[in-house]
Amino acid sequence: MSKVKSLKCRECPEEYEISPKYVCDMCFGPLEISYNWKEIKKSVNKNSITNGPKSIWRYKSLLPIDGNDVIDIGTGFTPLISADNLSNFLGLKKIWIKNDSVNPTYSFKDRVVSVASTKAKEFNFDTFACASTGNLAGSVAAHGAKAGFRTLVFIPSNLENEKIVAASIYGPEVVAIKGNYDDVNRLCTELAETKPWAFVNINLRPFYSEGSKTVGFEIAEQLGWKTPDHIIAPAASGSLFIKVWKGFNEFFEIGLIEKPKNTRMHIAQPKGCSPISTSFNEGKTHPLPVIPKTIAKSLAIGNPADGYYAIKLAKETRGSAHAVSDDEIVKGISLLARTEGIFTETAGGVVIATLVKMVKQELISKDEEVVVLITGNGLKTQEVISSLSAPTEINPTIKSFEDSFPNY
Ligand SMILES: *Cc1c(COP(=O)(O)O)cnc(C)c1O
Ligand SMILES: [Zn+2]
């Protein structure tokens, strides 16, 4: 029997054959992969995983991939770093940093795109595409190059230049839309109806989003087969946030960890685009769409597809949701760099600023462990911090050095 059963509606009992399909014909609910856990349990154990490759492909048996040919650019199994300096600074027992900024294209998006590109090959697509807030474009372009696809990436025209360069270099068509991400996504959804293309985050979304659960797998494995007291995750569509939790629960399902009943899930968003956090804190079940205006462009989704599920999960795990200002984001980026030597992009700044806020609000006790997700690299959002970094210019003489730096 196959390990993948069907595509199942998240809202009604309807099931569909595995195919590039993402919404339920009956109720328009989102579709999700349904697995045959009994079958998977027979062949997957701690040993089979730890003997696997040092990449997301060590979890291949838990992903919706049939064959052995995967599109592998070295994604995943990123470091879980014990952030002792930051823990001391904030007065906490233990902060762990899941550093996904060191993936091949410098963001966690390589996880979702590795799965989506492999599945696109299995479905025999020849054209690969996405609607992107920035990091996805780079990852889709890189995987498209490796897989030999014709690749198109659609981005909002106001994107950071570094992110445009980081996608263009791999040779895709880069299409800049005059509008925000939600406009880009709307156009791409229309294109996906008429063109026979693999849009990773539209018609391949059920497969794509499964890539995110490998963050949960890795955290549990790297902590010694357990889950932490707290997770703080950034949210754009809300998909990563809910999939980390799904990863924990699947590990529980196949007997690798205990039920993650004491792990609380916390959402981090920028104030200028916080539809999920704001609605959570107002007691609403569905996020109210907003028009984004924030330096955290990788999180600038005003109408988040998984917002409803993210709110539900934060509530069910006794978690919380936060919104931080642009100023706090820049301070967060700087704090992480100066304490831990990790240069993250604005999304990571949102997470660190949220951590600082939660410590101030005493939402984390001194004896608890927290894992924060650092999902992207600071080299791609340099424009927000360039004012911090003006060097001191001197002549090439000892005198000039000592005149300028009398304390050394
Ligand atoms: C895309 C992205 C996220 C969040 O993605 P979701 O849509 O919520 O799954 C977080 N951080 C970075 C850097 C991203 O590029
Ligand atoms: Zn349905």
Side-chain angles (χ1 to χ4, degrees), residues 9-14 16 24-31:
C9 181
R10 278 200 262 175
E11 295 302 324
C12 81
E14 225 27 55
Y16 303 87
C24 177
D25 296 335
M26 306 306 287
C27 76
F28 302 107
L31 302 183

Side-chain angles (χ1 to χ4, degrees), residues 107-109 133 135 234-240 298-299 301 345 347 375-376:
S107 87
F108 102 92
K109 292 291 196 299
T133 56
N135 286 318
S237 72
S239 176
L240 168 65
S298 54
L299 301 181
I301 297 185
E345 70 145 83
T375 49

